[in-house]
Amino acid sequence: MNKIVSKEYFSENVVKFEVEAPLIAKSRKAGHFVIVKVGLKGERVPFTIADSDIKKGTITLVVQKIGLSSTKLCALEVGDFITDMVGPLGKATHIENFGTVVCACGGVGTAPMLPIAAALKAAGNKVITVLAARTKDLIILEEQMKEHCDEVIVMTDDGSYGNKGLVTNGVESVINREKVDLCVTIGPAIMMKFVSQLTKKYEVHTLASLNTIMVDGTGMCGACRVSVGGKTKFVCVDGPEFDAHQVDFDEMLMRLNGYKDIERDEMKKLEIINNK
Amino acid sequence: MNLTEERAKEWRAGLRNAMKAKERTAIPRVHMPELDPEYRSHTRTEEVNLGLTPEMAMQEAKRCLDCANPTCMEGCPVNIYIPKFIKNIERGEFLEAAKTLKDTSALPAVCGRVCPQEKQCEAQCIHLKMGKESVAIGHLERFAADYERESGKISVPEVATPNNIKIAVVGSGPAGLAFAGDMAKLGYEVVVYEALHEIGGVLKYGIPEFRLPNEIVDVEIQNLQMMGVHFITNCVVGKTISIKDLEDDGYKGIFVASGAGLPRFMNIKGENLVGIMSSNEYLTRVNLMDAANPVSDTPVYKGKKVAVIGGGNTAMDSVRTARRLGAERAMIVYRRSEEEMPARLEEVKHAKEEGIEFWTLHNPIEYIGNEQGRVTHMLLQVMALGEPDESGRRSPVEIPGKTEMLEVDEVIVSVGVSPNPIIPQSVKGLEVSKWGTVVVDLETMQSAVPVIFAGGDIVRGGATVILAMGDGRRAAKSMNEWIQSTESRV
Ligand SMILES: Cc1cc2nc3c(=O)[nH]c(=O)nc-3n(C[C@H](O)[C@H](O)[C@H](O)COP(=O)(O)OP(=O)(O)OC[C@H]3O[C@@H](n4cnc5c(N)ncnc54)[C@H](O)[C@@H]3O)c2cc1C
Ligand code: FES
């Protein structure tokens, strides 16, 4: 049981929590995640650890309401307890001074990118973040990103905010403008696939942080498996970050869609909860 | 314990003389009452075996000849004093019988349900040499343990005066639980760290309730708690805290019982298609996450044509679970023949009664999917039995060119597990075998790092509950001796 000590809305659907977890706060590094379970019959779902405060013994999670579990989590208030939380899991991001780094993120990937961008900046990199969304209202965490980055480029599909275009247009404009040493991408699998295709063309080394389905998060089940360079890897223990140019995104997309139908039914439960 | 003296005790001699050996061997072996196969293939949690009545147990106990040289005990990995507990049942002293079991076994109610008795104690029973069925030792073990639990007179073992020495256990499966119990009895302050949100290891997340009800494991855990054992869930040693943290925290001994939780796949074409998963994933969803229960948030796919690859207990548990979740065809696909199957005999029998199809001497070589990437077919290589391999089992060989296509919508891969790598990778100086198991002195269970002892599946690879439990007990004994000797030197 982990107590929520603060809750702040970044936007209607994005919530920042500080949660008591002294041991995790002490051992976590950028790129690590926790598995969280809300309620006795809750699902085990991964969330990236955005920050930690060893003195206070807390970790920070930035949660975007997407499915059943993230919505349940966002419904918790200060003083409430998260039923189960375990971590830090996964391999930490390899942070060093690479030079210039482009962080390409959108949708579900923006929150987990924040701590990575911050750590890269702290290591002396020039950090340029491309923040993408379909439309203006869906752009999140822009202010927080700006605090940690040299530049934030906003892209919207419909041009309602920032530049009109896709995340790849933003990344390409940077690559055409200056030498990029590394690209990090987190977001929907389809987005990462296109970023990866683009950077491959320009031969820019790219890391993708994969958000597969997970159950235990400790390497026990293989639900999170992906093909990387033709080999099966477990995202929760071998990742979550991999060389994007080696990842079989088509297979990953397929596997992510595997539970879509069931998930839709699950969301109906939420409606029931909300209507109560 | 002196076996000869024990056997000579008046009550035992009296029982032996009360009935002729011939009369005893003439009694037919008891049949375990079971749920109706049709009914039980639709109920997810009801236990299949209903347990013996006292009358049945006493009658079965009469079959035991109380041999002067009880070979059954040699077949038992932890040498339970089998004749003594059985004769206690025969004379109606059921609580005494349970006590005898507990002298050696930490988890008799569990072992009575999941041990491969037909390969252990029962395989050595004198009856077999006379062409009769062995005494139902497993059923009797379960009877005595259940009787004690249900009587409400469960004995919480006495705990020695606290010695204020802290001991850590990594993993709460049978190895960790058995170890914790013994160390608590010796007066140690025991803390068990568990990575998952539930205590019990495979007993909880792997073995389904229709074979081992959670309640039985929970009683054992409550007992340990009453003895002062402390459990910390959601803590991955090697991630949340390190072994070094534990040492710095003043733990004087660490027992690693982290199991063999890493599922193996076959690395064949199409294995990452949607609908193909490890038995660990499938069973974890259904058992640990209760995914088949409508109130659970965790989804599970309920296939109609389900193939399970493998012939072990895990495969049987998976296929029978699939049946219970509504599979019209639930199939075992196994590359050897039924005779080589490592699963318990009873599980194979139960599976067959529940309408499970057995595709023996077939091995998957490729999976085929539809546009959505969901598995629809599997290509099977037909096999034949060749020469015996190192394990003594006849190894399967391909019949060239002979294949078969099978329609499936869900495939569960159950071809074995490897040791959990988190601890082996995170501790310097630990000796690790090429299979990833932690190397220990099998007498003392001590590893190359003196403060670390290890046992169960992390040492043996996927093995059995009784071996894991035995390891835990042996490790407790020798860790105690090691600590006492190092303490006295200081
Ligand atoms: C489905 C299934 C059916 C089986 N059926 C039978 C049967 O009928 N009969 C039989 O004898 N055997 C059976 N077995 C095998 C038997 O369950 C195992 O041999 C036995 O459970 C091993 O015990 P253990 O204590 O070594 O490990 P486990 O029971 O695997 O327990 C290990 C525990 O350690 C935890 N852990 C791992 N790493 C860490 C870490 N770093 N920090 C903290 N905790 C950690 C795990 O989460 C787990 O809870 C079966 C196994 C399975 C999977
Ligand atoms: S989530 Fe189970 S192995 Fe990765």
Side-chain angles (χ1 to χ4, degrees):
Chain A
M1 298 278 267
N2 303 73
K3 191 171 168 186
I4 294 173
V5 295
S6 83
K7 178 180 184 181
E8 184 187 334
Y9 280 89
F10 281 158
S11 70
E12 194 197 331
N13 288 317
V14 185
V15 180
K16 178 179 129 178
F17 287 110
E18 272 179 288
V19 186
E20 266 177 15
L23 294 175
I24 304 176
K26 226 165 79 183
S27 45
R28 78 103 203 176
K29 295 197 174 66
H32 277 146
F33 64 91
V34 282
I35 291 268
V36 166
K37 175 171 158 285
V38 181
L40 281 177
K41 296 284 172 191
E43 195 177 1
R44 291 172 67 101
V45 281
F47 290 102
T48 302
I49 306 171
D51 203 356
S52 69
D53 187 328
I54 298 180
K55 265 212 208 91
K56 272 166 59 187
T58 58
I59 61 167
T60 305
L61 304 178
V62 178
V63 183
Q64 190 177 357
K65 276 191 222 174
I66 310 163
L68 175 71
S69 302
S70 52
T71 308
K72 273 192 171 176
L73 181 55
C74 287
L76 296 181
E77 299 297 340
V78 173
D80 286 348
F81 285 86
I82 294 178
T83 320
D84 291 286
M85 188 159 91
V86 59
L89 300 170
K91 288 204 169 117
T93 309
H94 173 71
I95 302 282
E96 63 172 59
N97 191 345
F98 298 97
T100 302
V101 184
V102 172
C103 297
C105 54
V108 291
T110 314
M113 185 65 92
L114 192 61
I116 294 172
L120 284 166
K121 181 65 196 162
N125 291 282
K126 177 176 178 190
V127 181
I128 304 162
T129 291
V130 180
L131 253 183
R134 226 174 332 115
T135 180
K136 183 178 177 194
D137 294 344
L138 299 176
I139 292 285
I140 57 166
L141 298 174
E142 187 189 352
E143 284 314 306
Q144 291 77 15
M145 274 295 183
K146 276 188 178 154
E147 276 174 43
H148 297 290
C149 301
D150 294 272
E151 187 184 349
V152 175
I153 300 170
V154 174
M155 305 293 302
T156 49
D157 294 7
D158 60 1
S160 54
Y161 187 55
N163 306 302
K164 182 171 162 51
L166 302 172
V167 70
T168 39
N169 301 120
V171 175
E172 194 163 20
S173 72
V174 180
I175 295 175
N176 285 333
R177 182 181 85 186
E178 60 189 292
K179 181 171 174 294
V180 174
D181 299 289
L182 177 73
C183 174
V184 183
T185 180
I186 314 183
I190 188 83
M191 184 203 103
M192 293 192 279
K193 174 182 166 177
F194 286 115
V195 170
S196 171
Q197 277 175 359
L198 174 84
T199 57
K200 195 167 185 178
K201 192 172 88 189
Y202 288 102
E203 292 177 0
V204 175
H205 182 52
T206 300
L207 292 175
S209 180
L210 307 183
N211 36 22
T212 50
I213 293 168
M214 291 191 188
V215 181
D216 59 300
T218 63
M220 195 182 93
C221 73
C224 60
R225 66 197 195 277
V226 286
S227 294
V228 181
K231 288 212 176 78
T232 295
K233 297 275 177 191
F234 287 7
V235 171
C236 68
V237 284
D238 302 319
E241 280 158 28
F242 295 97
D243 178 348
H245 299 158
Q246 302 291 322
V247 173
D248 183 342
F249 283 105
D250 292 329
E251 180 190 280
M252 181 179 159
L253 275 162
M254 207 176 72
R255 290 184 56 81
L256 279 170
N257 286 330
Y259 278 99
K260 272 278 154 65
D261 295 345
I262 303 184
E263 207 148 280
R264 233 168 274 135
D265 290 345
E266 296 287 319
M267 284 307 278
K268 283 195 202 120
K269 284 184 199 162
L270 258 193
E271 283 162 31
I272 299 168
I273 296 170
N274 288 342
N275 291 340
K276 260 187 201 150
Chain B
M1 186 170 31
N2 185 322
L3 292 189
T4 325
E5 255 169 48
E6 276 283 336
R7 186 171 180 271
K9 283 200 175 140
E10 215 178 298
W11 70 270
R12 287 264 298 265
L15 275 184
R16 267 198 308 279
N17 297 334
M19 201 173 174
K20 289 207 184 77
K22 246 208 180 122
E23 289 171 304
R24 294 184 188 272
T25 52
I27 304 171
R29 179 176 156 125
V30 68
H31 282 287
M32 171 62 83
E34 296 164 352
L35 286 180
D36 170 66
E38 169 57 23
Y39 170 79
R40 73 186 193 231
S41 18
H42 307 289
T43 139
R44 204 162 42 81
T45 53
E46 275 179 76
E47 194 178 4
V48 171
N49 281 349
L50 300 170
L52 304 182
T53 61
E55 296 73 32
M56 290 165 112
M58 287 166 80
Q59 175 78 351
E60 180 65 18
K62 283 189 188 141
R63 295 183 66 226
C64 170
L65 302 185
D66 197 5
C67 306
N69 175 21
T71 44
C72 51
M73 287 179 67
E74 286 157 32
C76 173
V78 298
N79 310 112
I80 288 178
Y81 195 174
I82 294 169
K84 183 174 171 192
F85 102 77
I86 293 186
K87 288 300 127 181
N88 266 312
I89 293 180
E90 183 177 342
R91 67 166 171 162
E93 293 290 342
F94 304 145
L95 291 175
E96 263 313 295
K99 222 169 133 256
T100 307
L101 286 166
K102 281 185 160 176
D103 283 338
T104 26
S105 171
L107 307 162
V110 175
C111 293
R113 286 171 165 83
V114 305
C115 263
Q117 290 96 2
E118 74 276 3
K119 291 192 195 106
Q120 300 178 2
C121 51
E122 293 183 17
Q124 307 290 332
C125 178
I126 186 89
H127 282 242
L128 291 179
K129 299 193 183 92
M130 304 183 292
K132 308 256 178 186
E133 283 186 281
S134 71
V135 173
I137 303 170
H139 293 346
L140 291 174
E141 179 184 22
R142 171 188 158 150
F143 169 79
D146 283 2
Y147 182 88
E148 189 199 31
R149 191 182 61 255
E150 285 156 14
S151 72
K153 291 194 198 99
I154 203 154
S155 58
V156 177
E158 263 176 59
V159 175
T161 328
N163 61 15
N164 298 318
I165 299 176
K166 291 206 296 183
I167 300 296
V169 184
V170 182
S172 65
L177 295 179
F179 174 89
D182 278 8
M183 290 306 265
K185 274 186 233 168
L186 291 166
Y188 288 92
E189 189 181 330
V190 185
V191 181
V192 181
Y193 291 91
E194 169 55 52
L196 293 170
H197 59 269
E198 277 264 7
I199 302 163
V202 170
L203 306 181
K204 277 287 179 62
Y205 77 72
I207 304 178
E209 289 217 64
F210 59 78
R211 201 148 76 81
L212 176 65
N214 284 344
E215 188 218 326
I216 291 182
V217 186
D218 287 334
V219 168
E220 301 295 343
I221 294 165
Q222 281 156 20
N223 268 338
L224 290 174
Q225 283 168 330
M226 279 193 274
M227 289 160 67
V229 175
H230 196 58
F231 291 93
I232 297 180
T233 51
N234 293 317
C235 185
V236 187
V237 176
K239 295 271 182 195
T240 315
I241 49 172
S242 65
I243 293 272
K244 174 144 189 319
D245 289 336
L246 292 174
E247 286 183 62
D248 293 348
D249 249 7
Y251 286 96
K252 291 282 183 276
I254 298 158
F255 181 57
V256 173
S258 50
L262 206 70
R264 273 191 225 135
F265 286 93
M266 294 171 70
N267 297 315
I268 55 176
K269 201 164 161 221
E271 206 174 25
N272 289 348
L273 285 167
V274 178
I276 304 179
M277 69 198 82
S278 72
S279 49
N280 265 10
E281 177 180 348
Y282 187 67
L283 293 173
T284 300
R285 282 180 189 272
V286 178
N287 298 335
L288 183 72
M289 306 310 294
D290 201 15
N293 183 339
V295 305
S296 168
D297 293 348
T298 305
V300 63
Y301 188 72
K302 295 176 185 160
K304 292 288 168 217
K305 297 182 197 111
V306 184
V308 176
I309 320 302
N313 287 320
T314 317
M316 293 305 147
D317 286 344
S318 301
V319 80
R320 296 172 67 201
T321 300
R323 181 73 166 164
R324 283 160 170 75
L325 298 194
E328 283 148 19
R329 291 187 76 179
M331 301 166 270
I332 283 283
V333 175
Y334 182 54
R335 65 196 176 114
R336 306 180 195 241
S337 76
E338 197 180 314
E339 210 167 296
E340 288 81 25
M341 278 193 180
R344 297 177 74 225
L345 216 53
E346 192 179 33
E347 308 314 323
V348 176
K349 167 182 168 278
H350 283 163
K352 285 188 174 162
E353 290 166 0
E354 288 161 15
I356 308 297
E357 295 172 43
F358 279 67
W359 289 66
T360 50
L361 291 168
H362 283 81
N363 198 31
I365 47 176
E366 186 184 338
Y367 298 102
I368 296 113
N370 61 16
E371 315 78 77
Q372 283 92 45
R374 174 164 281 286
V375 66
T376 58
H377 291 84
M378 63 196 280
L379 185 63
L380 299 175
Q381 169 69 54
V382 182
M383 313 292 281
L385 282 185
E387 294 300 308
D389 64 8
E390 306 143 42
S391 71
R393 294 186 297 181
R394 291 180 66 190
S395 56
V397 287
E398 293 173 11
I399 302 179
K402 208 162 165 210
T403 58
E404 240 164 299
M405 192 67 96
L406 188 61
E407 210 183 309
V408 289
D409 60 4
E410 185 169 24
V411 176
I412 296 155
V413 183
S414 186
V415 294
V417 282
S418 305
N420 191 312
I422 293 179
I423 297 273
Q425 279 171 8
S426 73
V427 185
K428 267 196 229 108
L430 210 57
E431 199 184 328
V432 180
S433 75
K434 66 174 180 200
W435 298 281
T437 51
V438 171
V439 179
V440 294
D441 173 338
L442 278 174
E443 295 271 300
T444 62
M445 309 314 284
Q446 193 165 26
S447 77
V449 180
V451 64
I452 300 178
F453 291 60
D457 284 1
I458 187 71
V459 164
R460 300 173 180 273
T464 58
V465 171
I466 186 104
L467 285 170
M469 187 205 76
D471 285 355
R473 301 209 64 188
R474 213 147 358 103
K477 183 167 174 284
S478 67
M479 187 190 279
N480 175 46
E481 287 162 7
W482 178 74
I483 288 178
Q484 298 306 331
S485 71
T486 44
E487 292 277 299
S488 59
R489 243 179 280 140
V490 179

